[in-house]
Amino acid sequence: MTGGKVRGGAPKHLYAMLIGGELVSGRREEAVINPADGSVAGMAPIADGEHLEKAVSVARAAFPDWSAKSWEERGGALQRLADAVEAEKEVLAPLLTLEQGKPYRTQALGEIETAISFLRDIAKQRLSSRMLRETPKHQVELRYVPMGVIGAITPWNFPVQLSIWKIAPNLLCGNTMVLKLAPSCPLSMLRFGEIAQRILPPGVLNIISGGAELGERMIAHPEFAKITFTGSTATGKRIMKGAADTLKRLTLELGGNDPAIVLPDADVKALAPILFWGAFYNSGQSCVAIKRLYVHESKHAALLAELATVASGVTIGSGFDEASMLGPVQNRQQFERVVELMKDSRACGHKFVAGGTIDGEQSGYFVPVTLVDNPPDDSRIVQEEQFGPILPVLSYKTVDEAVRRANDTKMGLAASVWGRDAADVGSRLQAGTVWINESPLFGADIPFGGHKQSGVGLELGEEGLAACMLPQVRATAKAPELEGLGRND
Ligand code: NAD
């Protein structure tokens, strides 16, 4: 399987899908591009209809045994999987840098380590049944039963972590799965599949890769009990329509246009680096990145200057360069989208405080950190999710105005408020998560999901586990009634 070396030190590798406990090549392959230099990071198999049928049928065949295992047995398998992934994190992390672009030591290794700790924490979780009524005559209980075969679809920004958020709770709850990876960034998770092959019973977890067409086949497939999807709102809407015919259960984790509000009393010097990384971590390609920064007019100029100072100290480059604090945008399509937004801002005469120009000679998808000073609320840079390193910094006069403008969006994923009265202001924001003087905080015990068009349902926490199972009411007659029944028969 292994051969020479590619850039970044990761071994050359034949990537295969995991189907029914076997590593399966594609009849077709597509090059995965290293976004830092345009070279080929690896060739990824593309699943066709036959691969999907096979993956679904082995997952269905594996379901009775897997779902009959105890929570302890399934949790134990996930713990062993976490140990095996941990043992290979130095293989997975450079691969993630190679295909995704994020800096190796500070972000790629962090994503793998975070994924491992989520796997371990979720493996310990349990969902208990709940007694609804207990009388001398009846016992009525709400219990949870495994759903069946789950179809999971993930994006390219945190391909390992976001896949684990789907794999760990679904397998723990007794479901079997077919996971489809994003075709621009599937290599780390295909490699994860090789690790899972050694640990999990055949068919329990199947990993395939391919694009929108494969995703659409999954949505239409009658055997999936549920689709759990993380990606854009546009695709989420298509999935919801496509799932109607078979009435599949859905969890949709979608886009955001997350506001942060800086209150008049905020300490802008202390806040600037926190807000900067809240917006630009992973080159802004995070669903919960700050995408609109509202600053009280008394602090606007000072915060903008501080942010520009932080930006000027940030080195952008290949994720394998130890000096790089930010990498490239992950793929050409996203790069072009961010460049187009930048050009639109320029054409509209917006003021750039940092960045705003692209090096036309570069071979990678690098975008400089770009700060746009006070563009109008109806501009594209404010209205649309940028998903790249470009941030509008908007001035407001009153807190009521800031709240109104922050809520004036169809999105509602996350929001943050900074300052002494942040809690009061936060309670008026329309978002699935509101951070109060707090950077993005996630945990296996903390449910996550969007309001409005940012999603349907929740992942993680008790609610996330419940979403992996079917609730079932069990009403039991107690002995006296049974005896009565017997006598009457
Ligand atoms: P995307 O919707 O283009 O693709 C996501 C996945 O869906 C990929 O695997 C893709 O191949 C697949 N897909 C595309 N079209 C499909 C179709 N018609 N049917 C079925 N599957 C299809 O999104 P993306 O560009 O990969 O990811 C970026 C988006 O994801 C951003 O909007 C971001 O905010 C969002 N996101 C949300 C969360 C969250 O938890 N809410 C987390 C990360 C990213």
Side-chain angles (χ1 to χ4, degrees), residues 154 156-157 180 216 229-232 235 253-255 287 385 387:
T154 48
W156 44 260
N157 58 336
K180 187 198 86 60
E216 277 171 13
F229 169 78
T230 301
S232 64
T235 306
E253 295 288 356
L254 308 178
C287 54
E385 181 186 34
F387 220 62

Side-chain angles (χ1 to χ4, degrees), residues 267-344:
D267 174 351
V268 294
K269 201 169 178 59
L271 263 187
I274 297 170
L275 294 171
F276 181 90
W277 289 108
F280 294 108
Y281 187 81
N282 201 28
S283 297
Q285 303 163 112
S286 165
C287 54
V288 297
I290 296 171
K291 292 175 182 131
R292 295 173 291 149
L293 179 55
Y294 293 95
V295 189
H296 188 259
E297 58 180 359
S298 63
K299 298 284 169 75
H300 179 84
L303 181 57
L304 206 49
E306 291 291 342
L307 288 172
T309 304
V310 180
S312 67
V314 168
T315 307
I316 300 176
S318 159
F320 290 113
D321 185 339
E322 288 282 330
S324 296
M325 297 156 88
L326 290 175
V329 167
Q330 198 272 325
N331 57 68
R332 169 161 292 283
Q333 199 184 349
Q334 189 59 28
F335 174 75
E336 284 171 356
R337 184 178 149 63
V338 176
V339 171
E340 186 198 309
L341 279 177
M342 196 183 269
K343 282 186 180 156
D344 179 79

Side-chain angles (χ1 to χ4, degrees), residues 13-33:
H13 200 77
L14 291 179
Y15 293 95
M17 300 178 281
L18 176 62
I19 302 178
E22 289 177 12
L23 297 176
V24 177
S25 343
R27 275 173 279 269
R28 199 161 70 77
E29 289 188 326
E30 261 177 26
V32 175
I33 300 302

Side-chain angles (χ1 to χ4, degrees), residues 174-481:
N175 298 316
T176 57
M177 293 181 80
V178 178
L179 166 68
K180 187 198 86 60
L181 309 168
S184 70
C185 198
L187 303 181
S188 320
M189 280 307 294
L190 291 171
R191 195 70 194 237
F192 172 95
E194 292 172 34
I195 302 170
Q197 183 205 24
R198 305 197 304 263
I199 309 288
L200 298 172
V204 165
L205 173 65
N206 303 279
I207 303 183
I208 59 177
S209 114
E213 193 194 321
L214 181 64
E216 277 171 13
R217 280 178 194 262
M218 288 175 69
I219 306 312
H221 202 294
E223 288 294 339
F224 287 115
K226 172 177 173 173
I227 295 289
T228 170
F229 169 78
T230 301
S232 64
T233 294
T235 306
K237 288 180 184 179
R238 252 176 250 134
I239 290 175
M240 194 174 229
K241 276 190 196 147
D245 275 350
T246 44
L247 220 59
K248 289 183 178 68
R249 273 66 187 156
L250 293 174
T251 295
L252 302 175
E253 295 288 356
L254 308 178
N257 194 0
D258 298 3
I261 299 179
V262 176
L263 297 175
D265 64 337
D267 174 351
V268 294
K269 201 169 178 59
L271 263 187
I274 297 170
L275 294 171
F276 181 90
W277 289 108
F280 294 108
Y281 187 81
N282 201 28
S283 297
Q285 303 163 112
S286 165
C287 54
V288 297
I290 296 171
K291 292 175 182 131
R292 295 173 291 149
L293 179 55
Y294 293 95
V295 189
H296 188 259
E297 58 180 359
S298 63
K299 298 284 169 75
H300 179 84
L303 181 57
L304 206 49
E306 291 291 342
L307 288 172
T309 304
V310 180
S312 67
V314 168
T315 307
I316 300 176
S318 159
F320 290 113
D321 185 339
E322 288 282 330
S324 296
M325 297 156 88
L326 290 175
V329 167
Q330 198 272 325
N331 57 68
R332 169 161 292 283
Q333 199 184 349
Q334 189 59 28
F335 174 75
E336 284 171 356
R337 184 178 149 63
V338 176
V339 171
E340 186 198 309
L341 279 177
M342 196 183 269
K343 282 186 180 156
D344 179 79
S345 254
R346 193 168 287 290
C348 292
H350 302 159
K351 188 173 160 207
F352 290 79
V353 175
T357 47
I358 300 287
D359 172 2
E361 301 300 309
Q362 64 178 3
S363 50
Y365 304 140
F366 293 101
V367 177
V369 166
T370 298
L371 296 165
V372 187
D373 183 8
N374 230 357
D377 282 358
D378 62 358
S379 57
R380 286 187 62 195
I381 196 69
V382 177
Q383 291 287 315
E384 297 179 23
E385 181 186 34
Q386 311 94 8
F387 220 62
I390 174 163
L391 176 72
V393 184
L394 305 148
S395 168
Y396 70 83
K397 286 186 195 311
T398 68
V399 170
D400 285 349
E401 175 205 332
V403 168
R404 179 183 53 72
R405 289 167 67 193
N407 285 337
D408 187 15
T409 166
K410 293 192 172 100
M411 301 301 191
L413 193 58
S416 61
V417 191
W418 304 86
R420 210 177 33 239
D421 297 327
D424 288 345
V425 178
S427 63
R428 296 163 62 193
L429 294 179
Q430 299 162 350
T433 301
V434 180
W435 286 296
I436 307 293
N437 293 313
E438 176 77 86
S439 303
L441 176 71
F442 290 97
D445 54 338
I446 304 173
F448 176 70
H451 288 186
K452 302 201 272 186
Q453 292 191 16
S454 285
V456 173
L458 292 161
E459 281 187 322
L460 306 175
E462 198 178 323
E463 290 78 2
L465 273 197
C468 297
M469 306 194 84
L470 289 172
Q472 182 180 64
V473 171
R474 182 154 70 181
T476 310
K478 290 198 169 167
E481 287 198 1

